[in-house]
């Protein structure tokens, strides 16, 4: 399952960054093109976090819409489908602006005063 492997990657990164501390919250940014189902991601996470430093950790996910910029007419439009076509002129000479993100924005650990930024 796609979401399960994402959760594994998130967990590995969080544990590596937590350095033995408990993790309370992980903030993520996921683009539309990643085709992640929010409910599935959360239920996979609840299975995956079952023990260790992630036992009480919540996922805080910001979903980013897919946005493209058209080189023909200059419009920036948002896509519902993963189909690269301008929403204004129907042109196909477009550049992806957003929608391919998969970022861990921050990881909050129990004993730290501030959350740690992850690059
Ligand atoms: Zn256009």
């Amino acid at each position: 399952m796609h979401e399960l492997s994402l959760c594994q990657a998130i967990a590995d990164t969080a544990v590596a960054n937590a350095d033995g501390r408990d993790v309370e919250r992980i903030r993520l940014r996921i683009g539309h093109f990643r085709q992640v189902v929010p409910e599935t991601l959360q239920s996979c996470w609840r299975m995956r976090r079952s023990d260790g430093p992630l036992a009480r950790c919540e996922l805080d996910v910001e979903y980013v819409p897919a946005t493209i910029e058209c080189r023909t007419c200059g419009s920036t439009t948002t896509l519902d489908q993963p189909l690269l076509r301008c929403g204004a002129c129907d042109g196909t000479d477009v550049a992806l602006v957003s929608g391919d993100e998969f970022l861990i924005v921050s990881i909050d650990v129990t004993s730290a005063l501030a959350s740690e930024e992850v690059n």
Side-chain angles (χ1 to χ4, degrees):
M1 192 184 294
H2 176 59
E3 282 81 0
L4 200 56
S5 58
L6 285 178
C7 285
Q8 185 63 52
I10 295 162
D12 289 348
T13 303
V15 169
N17 280 276
D19 197 23
R21 295 165 293 187
D22 285 348
V23 182
E24 289 187 331
R25 182 173 298 275
I26 300 170
R27 290 186 182 84
L28 299 168
R29 190 171 294 148
I30 300 176
H32 186 73
F33 278 5
R34 294 288 173 162
Q35 299 189 299
V36 168
V37 180
E39 297 78 23
T40 309
L41 185 74
Q42 293 292 346
S43 61
C44 285
W45 181 250
R46 284 192 291 273
M47 284 191 295
R48 178 58 189 80
R49 70 175 183 176
S50 59
D51 52 4
L54 302 177
R56 291 183 304 118
C57 181
E58 298 291 333
L59 285 188
D60 191 350
V61 185
E62 176 195 350
Y63 291 93
V64 182
T67 308
I68 56 168
E69 189 178 282
C70 177
R71 295 191 186 93
T72 304
C73 75
S75 296
T76 300
T77 50
T78 301
L79 300 178
D80 290 327
Q81 301 296 322
L83 179 72
L84 294 178
R85 189 178 288 268
C86 175
C89 76
D90 220 28
T92 54
D93 187 13
V94 296
L96 187 63
V97 178
S98 72
D100 200 31
E101 292 84 354
F102 181 74
L103 292 173
I104 295 177
V105 179
S106 67
I107 296 171
D108 293 357
V109 294
T110 48
S111 57
L113 291 174
S115 60
E116 298 190 0
E117 299 298 319
V118 179
N119 294 312

